[in-house]
Amino acid sequence: CARGIAKALMTRNTQFTADFLMAHMAVRFDPVLTRDFWPVKPSPEPALHICRAWGISPADAFMVGDYRDDILCGKRAGMRTFLLLNDRNREYVGLADSAGESLAELAEIIGRE
């Protein structure tokens, strides 16, 4: 994991789509949870599953997402949350612990800890 930061992927897409995406990215995710993992976001279970797989407390993790269900999933699991802003999701800013236009802003937050 780059910079010592583990990354998982939680998506409503299919496994085929997730595999295709990852084949074209330099970033690696483990584990990868698709729409086949149940229950789905905004249940905290996907986030808790990832924390268990990593052997960490949810309080030591960030949930990063661009939609309300991502943030609610992380919050319900006890994670800190970061809303990746776009033109359609600004109404959810109040739900997240922090928000920003890029992952560089999240890196700054992590770097201060």
Side-chain angles (χ1 to χ4, degrees), residues 32-79:
V32 174
L33 303 181
T34 66
R35 66 175 62 170
D36 297 324
F37 183 92
W38 195 259
V40 297
K41 303 176 280 186
S43 165
E45 193 50 40
L48 293 172
H49 175 83
I50 290 166
C51 289
R52 286 190 298 268
W54 289 343
I56 65 168
S57 166
D60 294 328
F62 268 93
M63 169 62 105
V64 179
D66 64 355
Y67 185 62
R68 178 197 67 216
D69 287 355
D70 302 319
I71 301 306
L72 292 176
C73 173
K75 285 291 204 183
R76 290 172 180 169
M79 298 172 139

Side-chain angles (χ1 to χ4, degrees), residues 2 4 6 10-11 18 22 30 45 55-56 75 87-88 95 102-103 110 112-113:
M10 230 184 281
T11 179
M22 289 189 306
D30 185 38
E45 193 50 40
I56 65 168
K75 285 291 204 183
D87 293 337
R88 298 176 308 215
L95 298 175
S102 72
L103 293 177
I110 293 170
R112 292 191 295 258
E113 297 183 355

